[in-house]
Amino acid sequence: MSINSLQDILPLVEHPSTYLGTEVNSIRKDPKSVKLRFALAFPDLYEIGMSHFGLQILYFILNAQKEIAAERAFAPRVDMERYLRSEKIPLCSLETHTPLGDFDIIGFSLLYELNYTNILNMLDLAGIPFFSHERDGSHPFIIAGGPCTCNPEPVADFFDAMVIGDAEELILKMVHAWLQWKDSACTDRNALLREWSKLEGVYVPGFFKWYLGSDGFQRLKPIYPEYHTVTRAIVADLDKAPFPDSPIVPYDKPVHDRLRLEVARGCSRGCRFCQAGMIYRPVRERSAPTILAQSERSCVSTGYGNLSLLSLSTGDYSGIIPLMERLIYRGKTHRIAVNLPSLRAETLTPKIMELIKKIRKTGFTIAPEAGSQRLRNVINKSITEDDIHKTVEIAFKMGWQVIKLYFMVGLPTESKADIEELIALVKRLRKIRPSNGHRGKLNISVAAFIPKAHTPFQWEPQISLPEAKEKLAWIKQELNISGVQLKWQNPETSILEGLFSRGDRRLSLLLVKAYENGCRFDGWSDKFRFHTWQTAIEKTAVDMEFFTTRTRKLEEPLPWDHIDIKVNKAFLKREWKRALKGELTADCRFSECQGCGVCDFETLKPVSFYPIEAFAGQGADRGDNRHAVYRQLEIWYSKMGQAKFFGHLELKNIILRAVRRARIAVKYSEGFHPLPKISFNDPLPVGLESESEVFYMSVLDTISPEEIKTRLNKQLPGGLCIKTCRLSSSKSSRKKTTVSTYRVVLKDGFFDKKRINFFVDSVQWVYERKNRKGKIQRTDLKKIITGIDLISPKILKLRIRPDAGKLVRPAEVIAQIFKLPETIIKQATVVKVCTKNLSSM
């Protein structure tokens, strides 16, 4: 097996399309045409990173600048990492496959503490030293942003600079400072860091020297006296903030595979455990006209068939009802499903309930967080059991079969009685029956509470690992009943997350040691190895209890005291005291100001808009083409080159979205969830090319087949090409038994002619394989291989017919006849050159 580049690796790994970088709306600039190359690095898998809309926003902002090229990089899967290391190939960007070490700036998104080891892995694969003080002018600047930077200390030593807060405006100031620094021919990295430190929201860790006081607490000494605090950057007017009208449409199976529209940022509900509710204040809404315009443009540019609204509390959006009415009406017109996000039980008004009836039923989630009213008051969760009960009852009545409920254990002041109330609440909700009489299902999710920085509970202890396990075991035992499915977060991951949530710079050496011991993808249950972390903790002498399970004094220094998120500590202390008394604090959007300190009420204040006018939507439904004339087309296409890395479902989505972008009116099925009537003949597997495949589609009789071909080819990624579009023959002709001819070209190895002769001379050649259901199937290759010709030692022609309607692929045939290693077979180029009906042969 020979590997010379990334392209040689792709046939050998899972999910190869996630490494291509050729998605619709991705941007590739000539490196010679720009001054600054910026890599947006996400320390998790592609399908997670491409579901994070913040990355899409920065990608759009940076690439809008002519002098800047922004590209993406993600944490490689374990199999890809193995090949990169063994072949000494550096980690590269997606768009131009440039080694990360050749970029000018690499910006990491820090969304989750258990991704920290992936940051080290990506730096290591790029050949970049971990610690900022080890890097010089030959290395990129390594920066970071995201919610984890509100306590940056555990990873501060790895970064040259960190963005605290909103990045839309700040990132442009930083790159323009870099361009000026570069144009000045200055080679002093410190000079640029000095300029960056003058920008509100930029933290330069190297400008703070840390030491341990005699009391065991970390303290920071600023190198420059005037640079002692970093204040969060905030986009005051979200309605004017840049938003990508043409977001990248990911390959594979992203976690959130739909168009997402951010309707608001921030939440002032004041849940005392919630970090996001503190660090994203104040609430800033986008206006409904802006959102509607964004949805119109983005649906056209992406081809998405569904959209959802993003916000910490979408139900609190001031114009949610008329906005949803318009989106639903437009969705019906253009066949776009609107996914209503999870709503707070107390915001579920009768009008919203009516809207829910008109949209697709996705998951319905309620987050009581605590089982007793006393404990919900402690955490300032203004939801009563009556609210919860009514919400579940209504949701079942409206057609939901499954309701998700989220709870936490280990909340401040929690007692045995609170756990008993949690269990009793679930059992009471279980008795609620939908209108059809069948009992609905409750999915209960339970996790251990993790105190976070900049919240009223930042001083509280996290429950110990044994205590968390004991409480979860009790809940599991009590809720092991029909109609209830219980899921829980591993308490070991919770305690580790808690360690890094409130840790300091002593943890950087722990991260390095854990990484060296093999820790990767710690947020994934199948990759998480707590015993490895325990070994690293012991080796680095980290006192885990010091950071997690002890009660902190209100006056003690905190590792994040130099980070000013604009919520003042006096407010947090006041809220902590109110929590202990079980006193609720009202939402400032609907009552008086609570004095959190964020707003100055001049340049920064809560922003909401008057709702747009109520929408009747009584006009003709332009999407109703039930009485229109359709015609059935057969569309022949090729799938060559890098397109071979698309699986069948992936290919289907690519073509469906291309059809939508091309504005081709197709026929849809009937029912609540209509689907386009498009069908494919042969579901080609990953790795198989084809010169001629076909799918069938019913379209309105208003556009010529030639025009359809032209439009689709403009919308398809490289490797996919529409060859012919014509009226379809009868369905019966499609079902005839066919023989497919394949050309197989080996990259390494050769085909042994003796093996061919042996096969030809054999009476039968039976092998066993498992079907999708795990059952053993026996296949006689002599009955399905109608021809096998050796063109040269490296080129083989195969003719294969289906086995009782089941397709047998060339890779299986080659493995059975020639006994070649799996890697050689995977690296072979296999092309389906033609398919013929047996009757025509």
Side-chain angles (χ1 to χ4, degrees), residues 17-37:
S17 64
T18 62
Y19 302 103
L20 295 179
T22 58
E23 308 97 321
V24 168
N25 297 330
S26 59
I27 299 170
R28 281 161 296 285
K29 295 184 179 181
D30 180 358
K32 297 178 182 178
S33 70
V34 298
K35 293 182 178 180
L36 169 59
R37 303 189 71 187

Side-chain angles (χ1 to χ4, degrees), residues 348-391:
L348 200 60
T349 65
K351 187 65 176 177
I352 291 179
M353 295 174 200
E354 287 299 316
L355 288 174
I356 290 175
K357 291 180 181 179
K358 300 178 182 180
I359 65 175
R360 187 184 303 175
K361 301 293 189 294
T362 54
F364 196 98
T365 303
I366 308 171
E369 311 295 358
S372 68
Q373 190 62 52
R374 184 200 71 80
L375 196 52
R376 287 194 291 274
N377 289 347
V378 167
I379 64 177
N380 205 44
K381 190 76 176 181
S382 55
I383 178 176
T384 66
E385 180 168 337
D386 187 52
D387 292 329
I388 299 167
H389 191 281
K390 286 181 179 178
T391 302

Side-chain angles (χ1 to χ4, degrees), residues 278-289:
M278 298 295 165
I279 67 173
Y280 290 118
R281 292 184 176 207
V283 174
R284 291 145 291 155
E285 294 183 351
R286 276 192 170 92
S287 68

Side-chain angles (χ1 to χ4, degrees), residues 156-198:
D157 287 337
F158 304 133
F159 293 100
D160 298 303
M162 305 180 85
V163 172
I164 313 297
D166 297 334
E168 288 99 326
E169 298 168 352
L170 182 54
I171 196 65
L172 287 179
K173 294 176 182 178
M174 292 181 72
V175 295
H176 288 150
W178 185 95
L179 290 168
Q180 291 177 354
W181 172 77
K182 195 69 174 178
D183 288 342
S184 71
C186 180
T187 58
D188 181 9
R189 291 167 67 92
N190 211 55
L192 176 61
L193 295 177
R194 195 80 173 92
E195 290 302 311
W196 278 353
S197 71
K198 298 174 184 177

Side-chain angles (χ1 to χ4, degrees), residues 61 268 277 327 332 336 354 393 406 409 480 549 604 634 649:
I61 290 172
S268 51
L327 288 174
K332 188 177 180 183
I336 297 171
E354 287 299 316
E393 192 172 42
Y406 287 95
V409 296
N480 184 21
T549 57
L604 188 61
E634 59 180 49
L649 293 178

